[in-house]
Structures are given as structure tokens and as C-alpha cells.
């Protein structure tokens, strides 16, 4: 989903594709970072927990969750936030 389930009433001003380009530019100096577009490519609502589960299948990965300050206050409402 190119749109967060929390932002259905107030969609972002920038397209998902443009946000992906900006993210790729931002992380380009960090060789161990990789931008995955799974959530953009699906027509279904995308939930972070589903992406974490998918990534967790690769036991060689060391995962870290980075979220923006704008999501911190509502994190408790995320799907399976615990």
C-alpha cells in the first residue's frame, strides 16, 4: 500500500514513488541499508508487523526499526505493536 492505514483521511502530498526515491538518496551513503518496496507494491494495506515477519525469516539479518517522530505517539495503535 502506498498509503499508511493511518493516513487514509490525510494522504501525503508526495507520491509513494517520490518518497521511495528520496529514501534511496538518503540511505545511499550507508552500504548496509537497503530500501525494499514491498509495501508500495501491494494493493493491500501494509502493516509494519507483516514486513518484520517477512524479514525475520532470514535469520542472518539484524533488524532495527526506525520510525519517525510523527508515528511515535500512535505506535501503540499499530497492528500488533506489542
Amino acid at each position: 500500500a502506498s498509503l499508511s492505514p493511518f493516513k487514509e483521511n490525510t494522504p501525503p502530498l508526495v507520491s509513494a514513488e517520490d518518497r521511495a526515491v528520496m529514501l534511496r538518496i538518503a540511505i545511499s551513503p550507508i552500504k548496509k541499508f537497503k530500501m525494499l518496496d514491498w509495501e508500495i507494491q501491494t494493493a493491500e494495506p501494509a502493516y509494519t508487523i507483516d514486513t518484520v515477519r517477512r524479514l525475520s525469516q532470514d535469520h542472518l539479518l539484524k533488524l532495527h526499526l526506525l520510525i519517525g517522530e510523527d508515528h511515535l505517539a500512535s505506535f501503540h495503535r499499530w497492528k500488533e505493536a506489542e
Side-chain angles (χ1 to χ4, degrees):
S2 56
L3 183 60
S4 162
F6 290 108
K7 295 186 178 181
E8 291 176 340
N9 295 328
T10 55
L13 300 175
V14 180
S15 72
E17 293 77 16
D18 286 343
R19 292 193 316 271
V21 168
M22 289 187 282
L23 180 58
R24 282 188 183 101
I25 292 168
I27 67 173
S28 65
I30 308 168
K31 299 302 176 207
K32 292 186 178 187
F33 278 25
K34 179 178 181 183
M35 204 283 298
L36 303 171
D37 63 355
W38 300 336
E39 294 181 357
I40 294 171
Q41 297 302 322
T42 183
E44 303 291 320
Y47 297 96
T48 300
I49 189 63
D50 298 327
T51 301
V52 168
R53 283 192 179 118
R54 188 172 174 183
L55 289 167
S56 294
Q57 292 174 1
D58 183 341
H59 299 288
L60 298 177
L61 293 178
K62 184 175 181 182
L63 302 176
H64 301 274
L65 179 62
L66 302 175
I67 63 172
E69 186 176 350
D70 57 328
H71 289 292
L72 192 57
S74 64
F75 184 76
H76 67 282
R77 295 186 357 214
W78 288 22
K79 181 181 174 183
E80 300 180 46
E82 63 284 345

